[in-house]
Structure formats: C-alpha cells, structure tokens
Amino acid sequence: MTQTFIQEEQLKNYINGKWVSDDRKTYRDVINPANGKPIAQVPLSTKEDVEDAVKIARDAQKKWALVPGPQRAEILLRVGQLMKERKEKLSTILTMENGKVLEEARGEVQEGIDMAFYMAGEGRRLFGHTTPSELGDKFAMSVRAPVGVVGIITPWNFPIAIATWKSFPAIVAGNTVIWKPATETPLMAYELAKIFEEAGLPDGVLNVVFGTGSEVGEAMVAHDDIRVISFTGSNDIGRSIASKCGQRLKKVSLEMGGKNAVIVMDDADLNLAVEGILWSAFGTSGQRCTACSRVIVHEKVKDELEERLIKEMESLTIGDGLDESVKVGPIINAQGLEKIRKYIQIGQEEGAKLIKGGYVLEQNQYKDGHYFAPTLFTDATPDMRISQEEIFGPVVSLIPVKSFEEAIEVNNGVEFGLSSSIFTQNANRVFAAQRDLDTGIVYVNAGTTGAEIHLPFGGTKGTGNGHRDSGVAALDVFTEWKAVYVDYSGKLQRAQIDTE
C-alpha cells in the first residue's frame, strides 16, 4: 500500500459542519510509528475553539433532540454503509497512524461498522418502561431523555472503534457531541467526520476539536454546558477528570487501565491456551486495555506451557503493519518504548526470570520506527510490580499457582478489573470462575480480548467508575431517565396517601 490515502495538508477542526482553519494555530506532526515519517499535521487548538464548538453544539442540540429517533438512526445507518464501502481505505490509514497490523485495523474498522448498524437499530427502540400506578385512572412511565452536549475524549490505541462506542449512542439518543481525539491518531477522526458529513448529519451535531488534553480536554471538562464527559485513557488522568466533574455535578464515564490475566488450569487444552495468550498479549503490540499481561498457570503444566510459548513466539514476525506477513507492529512512540524498557528492568530487579525478548529492536528495518521484541517473564510472583502495574506493551509474565482457588485469588489481587480468562475443560470450574472473577469481562477458553459491540464493555475497581461503553448499556451514559405521570381522573390524587 502507498500513502495516497493520507491527508497531505494540515488538518482542520470540524465545527458547525465546516472545516475551520486558523493561521494563528500551532501544529504537531502526526508520525507513522513504523518508520518515523510524518504523515499529516494536527492543530493544537485552544479553549476558545472549545467555546466556539460548545456554542454551536448547544444550539444544534435543541433541534436534533426534536428529530424522531428513527430518523436520527437513518444517519447512523448511512454512516455504517459508508464505512463499509471505505473499509480498506480506513484500515490503511489506521495502520499508518497507529501502527497496528492491517488485519487488526480491519477488525477495528469492522467494529465501528457493527456499532453503526447496531445503534441505528436503537433509534427505533430507546426503550423506556411502563408500569401500573398505585392510583386509579393514572398512567405511569419512564422515558429516556438526551442530556444535551456531551464531550468524548478518545485514546490513540483504538482511534475509531472507541470513538464509535461513544459518539454513536450519544447521537442516536438526541445529543450533540464535542470530540477530542488523541493527537497521535487524528486521521481517523478526520475521516469519520467526513463520513458523517456525507451521510447528512445536520451541522453542529458532531464537532471535532483537535488538540492536547491539557488544553482542549481541560476546557471540555471545565465547561458547564458540556453535561457528560466520556473518557478512555490512563488512570491518573481519569481520576483527575472524575474529581473535576464531581465538583460540577457533571456525569462522567471512565474506561481506564487493565492488568488482565489468562488462567491456565492443569486440564486446559494447551495448544488453544497458547494461541489465546499470543493473540491477547502481543496483538496490537500489547497496547490494549484488555491485553493479557499475566498468565496464571497451574504448576503441573507450567513448564510445558512455558516451552510452547517460547517456541511459538519465535514465529512472530515484527515490522510495518502494512506488510500482510507481519503479526506484531510498532509501539506508538518513543515514550511508550521507554516505559516498556523501564518495566523490563523492574521485573529483572524484582527477581522474575526473563526468558524471551526484553529489548528494543533498533537495527536494519527497525531503525527508524519504534519496535519492542515480544517478551516473556516466568516465575513472577503476584506482588511484583510487573504483575500489578499496567505496562502497555508486548510483555507477559507467568505466575505459577497450586490450585484453582489460588488462581482466582491471584487474578483478583490487582487494582484493575477489566478482563479475565480461564482455560479449562471442567464445567464446574467454568461456572465458578465466571462467578468469582471480579472483572467486567470474562472469557472461557479464549484470550482476554475479543469483545463484541452488542455487549457492555468496561470493568470494575480501578478500571472505571461503573459505566459501560457499547451495547444498550452505553445509552445510560448519554441519557437521563425521566418519570412521567398522567392523571386522567379529573381530581387531585395523592400518592401514598389516597391509596385506601
């Protein structure tokens, strides 16, 4: 593939259905992590840009909320169709700005397509509830109402999928959106905004403001007219956002870190377990919130699993994701590389045994990009930092245990609670595990990744604050419940009093 799909000129904000330029803006290069080459420039917007977008979105929302839900859904249906037609183009651009291999990029774009079609269906549902009243000649129901203007802040590792998880339910529910994409991956936002424009979305319903979290993100969080912030990113930033939103009584949805584990019991199909671990640990170069970074393995099969993993890791091809033969792409940037390298040193100092990888790839075809060798530690203990902290790279640690009960305890003994997995052929263990694993997502005989858009996505404990992306649950973030009582008795009836 060539770079013919890439926007050569400087990107512009998308506000009120127009591409807005400003000669006073500063710009930052968007870098292809596979080769270090700039592929576009992203504007570093200001709080004044956010203010402009909010004014437009606030006025547009009043009209958009009055559009019938099925008509709003028609826009999403067209968006999904256009994404489907342009899947290969979008996937190629995604790989160039993010680095993930084309196969995974296609899967991510497909996730956005699926989300468009799914949420288009919700436009004809948006179910409320009817219920009997305790009084005669009185009707009682609850309905969903849009919250108004919502702000979404999305990360670089899934620049289109996560954006669709948030923006599509918000829009179909009658809200308008201010979207701040990651500065590392702005091209997916640019392409999606163009698709919305072509699909006929009214001006001001979707507004894209490029820029940094410290400038644009902070302005969004602080703005009183943005009534919801939906954020995916680091725990430190998420906690800061939650605190600031709490002071303003603003609804906030957080999806943050993970320290996800695959449990391999002594009766597991080891061939299947190895496949699941490799995909979960090294897909997207480990830069997923659902990536497997711990393997909790029964001591009876630990040595055999270790040997099989080492053997299969030898066959992992590393390089530019545009090469269809590559299985592991680059790390997003130099800062990401340095963080991973730091954790390799920490693991060795703590006493874990490094048996594969553990180094930056810098020679020959790797010299201009950001590459890290897939890495395997063994004999890690549950209390080590490499067993507790999110690394966000292609690093996995084997933690031996003596029993199923110990495996559950080790899995749950971290601050995060996003995803977990167990490989076993024992039906009793399967049902006990899905009950006892304290994560928002549980897989059986599969890795820790692979969520589908019609189920809720999110986690417990330090992973989030109880809200969910995707599925019907996503609508709860972007709607308020309104209770409606219709008394047609022709007289005053007092609940809890006139019930005799």
Side-chain angles (χ1 to χ4, degrees), residues 110-383:
Q110 185 61 49
E111 196 164 352
I113 295 167
D114 294 344
M115 193 68 183
F117 293 154
Y118 180 80
M119 276 298 155
E122 285 304 310
R124 287 192 175 273
R125 289 186 288 266
L126 290 172
F127 291 142
H129 303 282
T130 59
T131 183
S133 171
E134 65 185 44
L135 297 166
D137 294 331
K138 187 176 181 181
F139 181 79
M141 64 179 176
S142 60
V143 297
R144 290 187 184 272
V147 295
V149 180
V150 306
I152 67 174
I153 302 173
T154 56
W156 51 261
N157 62 331
F158 282 86
I160 197 165
I162 292 176
T164 64
W165 293 355
K166 299 177 186 295
S167 64
F168 290 1
I171 287 170
V172 82
N175 303 285
T176 52
V177 173
I178 313 291
W179 175 16
K180 191 206 88 63
T183 53
E184 295 88 348
T185 54
L187 289 164
M188 284 293 95
Y190 171 78
E191 293 294 333
L192 188 56
K194 286 199 300 183
I195 286 173
F196 264 113
E197 185 178 38
E198 187 172 336
L201 188 70
D203 295 347
V205 176
L206 174 70
N207 304 275
V208 180
V209 182
F210 296 109
T212 64
S214 58
E215 182 74 18
V216 174
E218 288 282 356
M220 290 168 62
V221 170
H223 204 296
D224 289 336
D225 288 335
I226 297 180
R227 296 309 306 151
V228 174
I229 293 291
S230 182
F231 168 83
T232 296
S234 73
N235 281 64
D236 288 344
I237 294 175
R239 287 190 178 98
S240 174
I241 289 173
S243 175
K244 293 171 183 176
C245 287
Q247 293 173 359
R248 293 168 172 80
L249 298 181
K250 180 181 299 191
K251 186 188 288 189
V252 59
S253 171
L254 305 174
E255 199 285 298
M256 301 179 291
K259 192 64 182 175
N260 315 292
V262 168
I263 296 172
V264 181
M265 295 309 301
D266 52 346
D267 65 337
D269 179 337
L270 292 187
N271 288 329
L272 183 60
V274 167
E275 288 186 47
I277 293 165
L278 292 177
W279 171 239
S280 300
F282 305 127
T284 318
S285 302
Q287 300 171 114
R288 295 169 171 154
C289 55
T290 56
C292 167
S293 59
R294 298 183 295 157
V295 174
I296 303 168
V297 56
H298 196 286
E299 61 182 7
K300 290 182 180 179
V301 295
K302 182 251 186 184
D303 290 344
E304 184 178 357
L305 180 68
E306 189 177 292
E307 292 173 4
R308 293 190 185 202
L309 283 171
I310 292 172
K311 179 181 178 181
E312 293 301 320
M313 287 172 67
E314 292 285 350
S315 64
L316 292 175
T317 50
I318 306 165
D320 189 329
L322 291 178
D323 182 343
E324 296 275 13
S325 68
V326 166
K327 296 300 180 186
V328 180
I331 303 302
I332 187 66
N333 53 33
Q335 292 81 6
L337 275 182
E338 184 55 36
K339 179 182 178 182
I340 299 166
R341 182 157 41 189
K342 170 188 168 186
Y343 273 103
I344 300 303
Q345 181 180 350
I346 289 170
Q348 291 175 300
E349 291 173 350
E350 289 180 317
K353 184 180 178 182
L354 179 62
I355 57 175
K356 185 69 177 171
Y359 53 89
V360 176
L361 296 166
E362 300 176 292
Q363 303 299 318
N364 301 321
Q365 71 267 35
Y366 304 119
K367 62 184 176 64
D368 296 321
H370 308 298
Y371 295 94
F372 203 92
T375 298
L376 181 63
F377 279 103
T378 191
D379 296 328
T381 59
D383 59 336

Side-chain angles (χ1 to χ4, degrees), residues 402-473:
K402 299 180 183 296
S403 66
F404 170 77
E405 291 75 19
E406 184 184 1
I408 298 295
E409 182 179 357
V410 171
N411 181 89
N412 295 347
V414 295
E415 69 168 302
F416 305 104
L418 181 52
S419 181
S420 58
S421 157
I422 184 168
F423 285 85
T424 180
Q425 300 182 63
N426 184 313
N428 293 338
R429 284 176 176 168
V430 166
F431 280 91
Q434 62 86 20
R435 178 195 65 198
D436 296 339
L437 292 168
D438 64 353
T439 54
I441 306 169
V442 175
Y443 295 92
V444 176
N445 293 325
T448 55
T449 66
E452 301 179 32
I453 58 91
H454 51 291
L455 275 71
F457 182 94
T460 63
K461 302 188 295 186
T463 289
N465 64 338
H467 291 294
R468 295 292 186 267
D469 286 330
S470 79
V472 176

